[in-house]
Amino acid sequence: MPLPKAELHLHIEGTLEPELAFALAARNGLTLPWADTEELRHAYRFEDLQSFLNLYYELMTVLRTEQDFEDLANAYLARAAAQGVRHAEIFFDPQAHLARGVAMGTVVEGLWRALGASEANHGISTALILCFLRDESAASALATLDAAKPHLDRITGVGLDSAEVGHPPVKFREVFEAAAALGLRRVAHAGEEGPPEYITEALDVLGVERVDHGLRCMEDGALVERLVRERIPLTLCPLSNVRLRTVDTLADHPLPAMLDAGLLCTVNSDDPAYFGGYVGDNFDAVAERLGLTEDRLRELARNSFLASFLEHDEERRARYIAEVEAYTFS
Ligand code: HPA
Ligand code: ZN
C-alpha cells in the first residue's frame, strides 16, 4: 500500500497521456501532427518551460466535449488512487480552451462529472483551482473569472501558471482581488523560472496562501526565513524540475536543503503525462535519488494534508494525517 498523500500541484491538461490524446482525436475527427503515440513521445524532450508549454497547448486541442474532460479527469484519478492520493487539488487552464471555442461550462461541468463522483469512484476528495495564463493579458484574466461566475460552486480557488519570466504577479493584482472578494482561495506559480522577487510579490500583492514551485526562494535567505515563519507551503515538483531543466539532475534538487531549512514542502507531479511520473513516482524518485528517510517522506505526506484547502473539513484532514502517522513502509 502506498504512502497516503494529497496532490496539490497538478494540471489536469498535463495528465493527457498519448494514448488518450489519440483516442480523443479519433473520437472528435481530428488529425494530430504525430503518426502515433511513439512518435509523440519522442517530442517529450524539453529545453525549458516554454518548449514544454508549446506541446502542452498543442496536444490539449483534442479536448472538446464534456465527455473528453470527464474521461481525462477519471484517467488521472484512477492513476492517482493507485499511488496513494487521498485528496487532489486540481488546476485547469480555461483560457486555453475558451480560445478554441470550448465553453467554460463544457470544461468545468465535464471535469465535475468526474470530480463530483471521485470520492465514490476513486476514494479521492477533490478541489478545483482555475488558473489564469500569465502570458495572456490582465483583461483576459478578468473576463475568464467573469465567465466562471456561473460555476463558482465547483471552484475552490484561483492560480497563476504558464510562461513565468516577464509576467510578474503584479500584472494580476486586480483579478486576484476580485477572486478574493468572491471567496476564492489564492495560489500562484512563482520562483520556478522566475526570480525570488516574484515569490514575494505573489505573497504581498496577490495574497497567495501557497506558492507553486517556489524553488528559487533558496537564492534569498530572508525570503526563506519569511516562508518558514509564516508557514507558507511550497508545492514542489521534482521530476518536472528535471525535465524542464530547472535543476540539472534529481540528485541536485534542493528539496533536502529546503526541508532542513524548515520550509513546508510538498511533493507533486505537475504534468505527469509529460514529466515521467505521477506523484507516487515523484516520491519514489526523491526517496531514492536524494536518500530521504522514512521520517522525511512521512513529513512530506503530512505536509501535503496540512497545506491542503480542507479547512471546511478538519475532521477529514485529521483522519488523513492519522493515516500518515500510522503508515509503515514495507
Ligand atoms: N509551469 C507553469 N505553467 C504550467 C506548468 C508549469 O510547470 N504546467 C502547466 N502549466
Ligand atoms: Zn505547474
Side-chain angles (χ1 to χ4, degrees):
M1 186 188 83
L3 179 64
K5 56 185 76 73
E7 176 143 63
L8 306 177
H9 186 154
L10 181 281
H11 303 265
I12 197 65
E13 296 90 346
T15 69
L16 180 56
E17 293 284 347
E19 291 73 17
L20 183 58
F22 274 91
L24 296 183
R27 191 159 86 189
N28 291 323
L30 303 166
T31 307
L32 286 169
W34 302 276
D36 52 30
T37 55
E38 197 182 335
E39 193 180 304
L40 172 55
R41 276 207 168 85
H42 278 298
Y44 288 14
R45 261 179 257 117
F46 309 116
E47 311 293 316
D48 54 16
L49 175 58
Q50 188 61 55
S51 63
F52 154 69
L53 289 170
N54 294 343
L55 181 59
Y56 169 81
Y57 292 124
E58 184 168 10
L59 198 59
M60 71 170 75
T61 59
V62 300
L63 297 164
R64 292 283 166 99
T65 66
E66 276 192 31
Q67 187 69 53
D68 297 342
F69 287 94
E70 179 184 1
D71 291 349
L72 177 71
N74 271 323
Y76 161 68
L77 290 163
R79 286 175 181 265
Q83 298 203 354
V85 173
R86 296 282 188 283
H87 177 74
E89 301 189 355
I90 297 174
F91 296 140
F92 70 113
D93 285 331
Q95 282 155 294
H97 309 303
L98 294 169
R100 303 183 287 111
V102 179
M104 181 69 83
T106 302
V107 181
V108 176
E109 297 310 319
L111 292 174
W112 191 257
R113 283 209 234 158
L115 269 48
S118 171
E119 282 216 67
N121 292 342
H122 304 285
I124 299 178
S125 51
T126 62
L128 203 48
I129 299 179
L130 181 161
C131 282
F132 303 113
L133 302 184
R134 65 203 307 155
D135 43 358
E136 297 292 330
S137 68
S140 171
L142 281 162
T144 304
L145 182 62
D146 219 43
K149 280 184 182 157
H151 309 283
L152 287 185
D153 54 333
R154 312 287 199 222
I155 297 171
T156 298
V158 295
L160 190 61
D161 66 3
S162 203
E164 184 181 8
V165 174
H167 302 285
V170 66
K171 180 175 163 187
F172 297 96
R173 179 202 300 266
E174 198 181 343
V175 75
F176 270 67
E177 279 173 4
L182 291 167
L184 293 164
R185 313 297 294 261
R186 288 164 287 171
V187 300
H189 284 52
E192 180 186 19
E193 286 189 344
E197 292 74 30
Y198 283 17
I199 300 173
T200 304
E201 212 175 275
L203 294 168
D204 291 340
V205 178
L206 304 185
V208 303
E209 302 169 72
R210 210 160 68 194
V211 175
D212 297 311
H213 293 297
L215 206 64
R216 289 191 59 191
C217 74
M218 295 304 276
E219 296 167 26
D220 180 343
L223 176 58
V224 169
E225 274 178 39
R226 175 186 180 183
L227 295 168
V228 171
R229 192 172 58 245
E230 297 182 12
R231 302 287 288 155
I232 307 289
L234 305 179
T235 62
L236 302 175
C237 306
L239 291 176
S240 163
N241 296 150
V242 174
R243 291 298 181 102
L244 300 187
R245 306 198 186 179
T246 312
V247 299
D248 290 336
T249 72
L250 202 52
D252 303 308
H253 199 281
L255 173 62
M258 297 176 88
L259 289 168
D260 287 343
L263 289 163
L264 206 162
C265 298
T266 65
V267 164
N268 308 271
S269 69
D270 210 3
D271 301 282
Y274 293 90
F275 298 151
Y278 285 75
V279 64
D281 304 314
N282 274 265
F283 268 76
D284 291 347
V286 294
E288 189 189 303
R289 300 298 300 162
L290 298 171
L292 295 191
T293 63
E294 292 181 358
D295 279 350
R296 279 300 196 209
L297 296 171
R298 220 179 262 110
E299 176 185 350
L300 288 168
R302 189 187 309 116
N303 285 351
S304 72
F305 294 116
L306 291 174
S308 65
F309 294 145
L310 279 166
E311 279 74 10
H312 59 285
D313 199 348
E314 290 296 345
E315 183 272 332
R316 182 190 294 269
R317 193 203 307 271
R319 181 156 37 87
Y320 289 147
I321 290 176
E323 261 192 80
V324 172
E325 306 305 348
Y327 183 79
T328 50
F329 292 83
S330 52

